[in-house]
Amino acid sequence: AAVPVFTGKANCPYYAKAEHLADCLQATLPNFTVHKITQHPDKWEQWLHDICETNGWEHRESPIIWRELLDRGGKGQLLGGLNDFLEYAQQYYGITSMMLSEEMLDIAEENLQAHLEIVKEDEEIKSLIKPMQIWITSASAPICYQLIPLLANGEVFGMTTEISIHLLDTGQFKEVLCSIVMEAEDMAFPLLRSILEHTEIDDAFIEADVIIVLDDVLLNLEVQSLENYIREVSEICQVYAPLIEKNAKSEVRVISSGKTFANLKATLIMTYGPSIKPENIIAVATSWESAAKAMLARKLHMSTAGVKDVIVWGNITGSNYIDLSHAKLYGYDCAIWGPANFQRPLLNMIYDREWIHSEFLSAQGSLHSRVGRCAGMLPAHAVATVLQYWYHGSPPGEIVSVGVLSEGQFCIPKGIIFSMPVRFHSGNWEVIKELEIDGTAQEVLGRLAHELVQ
């Protein structure tokens, strides 16, 4: 079994004649079917070169006609050009074409117009399926490497949402970015339309839907003062914010992450980019939340997934307060059991209060050192989780800690980015204002807010 395949330039009169004869054969002979591939004139030469190279053929003009041998896995047997096909039709079927040159030219013109219409329709359909544009700054950082598969596998933005990822960093990291791009392309994620590296700052954030700011200024107070590090962060944000305003989409969502100055970066982008919607700028506290839950679960010999509603207050990557007063345990193995949704207050189950204050909450304790040592997997998961919640809602009834612009909730001063309990739904977030805060916690929040303002 063989199917003749016709392909040629859309505006080629010889292709028009071959196509016309093929149509006559198809109409006359019950078992004769053809497959037609029309190519745009500008793309013809390259296409012909590629098909000949793949099949080991020698052919230079339009059209090119071959037989696909279906019983041999679609292997192609070259017939040749127009004259070869005319001879083939005469020899096998006794049919020849009487089409005149003028008719050939008219049909060639019609073919070209029809092909351009089809191409235009395809482009219009493609343009309707615009991928989400995700920009990642300081993309040479290890967290970015871990983050790309999480963004591209469909779980964050949805299994039907295509994305384009843009990696931004300085020229010195160009090779690192290129290797990340190559590896991501090799993984062939179905939803990753494209991944590109950028080292020109003026091109940053074009058409951005989401911007993930990973920039870190790694502190060493023996080398320079805190004020100098803050100045460095400020200079970075002074460059980013106007570019976000100028190039990104009006509804762009900005996520501040990293090991240092997460709250400050968010605040400065808000300050230097006044037209960016303040509710669309957040700082991620989920790394602290996750690490705290894991430490508590180990202490209680239970699954980390069963620890809920640990709250991170304040300056995420600075002076923060891990609040356990609302934390709950699900599926905890104790004397009293209940259904799957049965929960117990965490503080009732931890009798070692000394451990909480010395190991867990102190600035020198293991929680701080654990989060500080995270190379990339945990913070990448934190960013991906918050983005997933932002687009699809957080689990019902659960508390999520996020650095957001304070409007005076919990007596925190207005106008600073402060980590507090929120819930996500319908593409937005809202602070959980109904939580009761005891006097001791309120005092701690006041101190943290004062430090942040300073």
Side-chain angles (χ1 to χ4, degrees):
V3 174
V5 179
F6 292 76
T7 182
K9 277 192 292 188
N11 63 348
C12 170
Y14 302 107
Y15 173 57
K17 185 164 185 170
E19 185 190 30
H20 180 261
L21 179 54
D23 289 344
C24 291
L25 289 171
Q26 224 170 198
T28 311
L29 305 166
N31 297 323
F32 186 90
T33 57
V34 297
H35 181 55
K36 291 186 272 189
I37 304 169
T38 308
Q39 291 294 334
H40 191 283
D42 296 345
K43 295 181 180 175
W44 167 253
E45 292 297 338
Q46 186 61 49
W47 191 89
L48 179 64
H49 172 270
D50 292 347
I51 198 86
C52 287
E53 196 170 84
T54 303
N55 291 283
W57 296 333
E58 280 290 330
H59 194 82
R60 292 284 170 267
E61 69 276 339
S62 170
I64 178 172
I65 301 156
W66 69 88
R67 294 161 77 228
E68 275 191 358
L69 308 173
L70 301 182
D71 53 350
R72 289 170 60 190
K75 185 175 169 59
Q77 183 185 62
L78 182 65
L79 283 177
L82 173 64
N83 291 335
D84 301 295
F85 180 59
L86 291 173
E87 199 176 304
Y88 170 82
Q90 179 67 50
Q91 189 179 336
Y92 281 87
Y93 305 110
I95 295 174
T96 190
S97 172
M98 307 304 290
M99 186 188 279
L100 301 171
S101 299
E102 205 170 301
E103 288 176 279
M104 286 162 58
L105 290 167
D106 287 346
I107 290 175
E109 181 57 32
E110 282 173 26
N111 278 349
L112 179 61
Q113 292 312 314
H115 179 72
L116 292 175
E117 284 293 318
I118 290 165
V119 168
K120 189 180 171 193
E121 275 176 33
D122 285 349
E123 282 174 358
E124 280 173 2
I125 289 165
K126 243 181 198 171
S127 73
L128 293 174
I129 316 166
K130 282 186 176 168
M132 279 186 71
Q133 305 294 323
I134 319 295
W135 284 77
I136 305 173
T137 72
S138 281
S140 62
I143 171 178
C144 177
Y145 186 78
Q146 304 280 352
L147 183 58
I148 289 167
L150 300 177
L151 298 178
N153 68 14
E155 288 178 21
V156 172
F157 300 108
M159 301 308 287
T160 56
T161 305
E162 286 194 341
I163 65 169
S164 286
I165 295 176
H166 301 266
L167 308 178
L168 178 68
D169 215 321
T170 54
Q172 71 188 95
F173 295 109
K174 190 175 177 69
E175 277 186 36
V176 177
L177 299 187
C178 289
S179 65
I180 295 172
V181 166
M182 200 179 296
E183 200 168 337
E185 286 173 344
D186 289 348
M187 289 180 79
F189 294 103
L191 295 171
L192 183 59
R193 176 85 71 88
S194 63
I195 178 164
L196 303 164
E197 46 87 14
H198 302 267
T199 51
E200 295 294 328
I201 191 68
D202 293 343
D203 300 335
F205 314 127
I206 290 172
E207 290 296 294
D209 291 288
V210 173
I211 297 168
I212 301 164
V213 179
L214 300 181
D215 299 72
D216 262 333
V217 174
L218 297 177
L219 296 179
N220 184 348
L221 297 177
E222 291 172 11
V223 174
Q224 60 175 343
S225 67
L226 187 64
E227 287 73 21
N228 283 344
Y229 286 117
I230 289 171
R231 194 172 293 114
E232 273 184 50
V233 177
S234 182
E235 284 166 6
I236 292 166
C237 295
Q238 269 180 291
V239 172
Y240 286 168
L243 284 169
I244 294 170
E245 288 185 301
K246 179 185 164 194
N247 294 338
K249 290 182 183 157
S250 60
E251 294 292 324
V252 65
R253 297 178 182 192
V254 181
I255 287 188
S256 172
S257 181
K259 291 186 178 182
T260 57
F261 300 117
N263 293 50
L264 182 64
K265 284 183 291 188
T267 305
L268 290 169
I269 287 169
M270 206 175 280
T271 306
Y272 296 130
S275 70
I276 306 165
K277 292 189 173 177
E279 65 272 22
N280 281 4
I281 303 174
I282 67 173
V284 176
T286 325
S287 292
W288 285 88
E289 215 177 80
S290 301
K293 288 174 182 176
M295 263 188 87
L296 292 162
R298 273 190 293 275
K299 180 73 175 171
L300 293 159
H301 307 292
M302 65 176 290
S303 162
T304 303
V307 184
K308 308 282 186 190
D309 299 348
V310 171
I311 303 172
V312 181
W313 294 95
N315 186 358
I316 297 160
T317 49
S319 297
N320 62 34
Y321 167 52
I322 312 295
D323 181 1
L324 305 182
S325 59
H326 303 274
K328 303 175 191 73
L329 304 178
Y330 291 81
Y332 180 56
D333 189 4
C334 64
I336 301 171
W337 273 80
N341 61 351
F342 177 69
Q343 39 93 355
R344 314 211 26 103
L346 180 139
L347 288 176
N348 288 5
M349 299 295 111
I350 293 190
Y351 303 106
D352 187 354
R353 293 305 166 96
E354 182 53 38
W355 175 84
I356 291 177
H357 292 288
S358 62
E359 272 298 299
F360 185 72
L361 292 181
S362 78
Q364 288 75 41
S366 24
L367 179 60
H368 279 70
S369 73
R370 289 184 76 81
V371 178
R373 286 200 309 268
C374 288
M377 200 185 300
L378 177 61
H381 182 262
V383 170
T385 301
V386 167
L387 269 173
Q388 184 183 17
Y389 290 169
W390 207 346
Y391 279 88
H392 302 291
S394 50
E398 281 190 32
I399 292 171
V400 185
S401 305
V402 178
V404 296
L405 182 67
S406 166
E407 292 179 351
Q409 304 97 328
F410 310 110
C411 303
I412 297 160
K414 287 184 181 181
I416 57 169
I417 296 277
F418 197 90
S419 182
M420 57 181 92
V422 306
R423 63 171 73 90
F424 289 90
H425 59 87
S426 310
N428 300 305
W429 53 263
E430 63 175 359
V431 175
I432 305 172
K433 298 175 191 169
E434 60 271 22
L435 282 185
E436 286 185 25
I437 307 296
D438 65 28
T440 311
Q442 194 63 68
E443 203 177 301
V444 173
L445 297 192
R447 184 166 47 76
L448 294 179
H450 178 72
E451 278 187 31
L452 251 178
V453 169
Q454 293 306 307

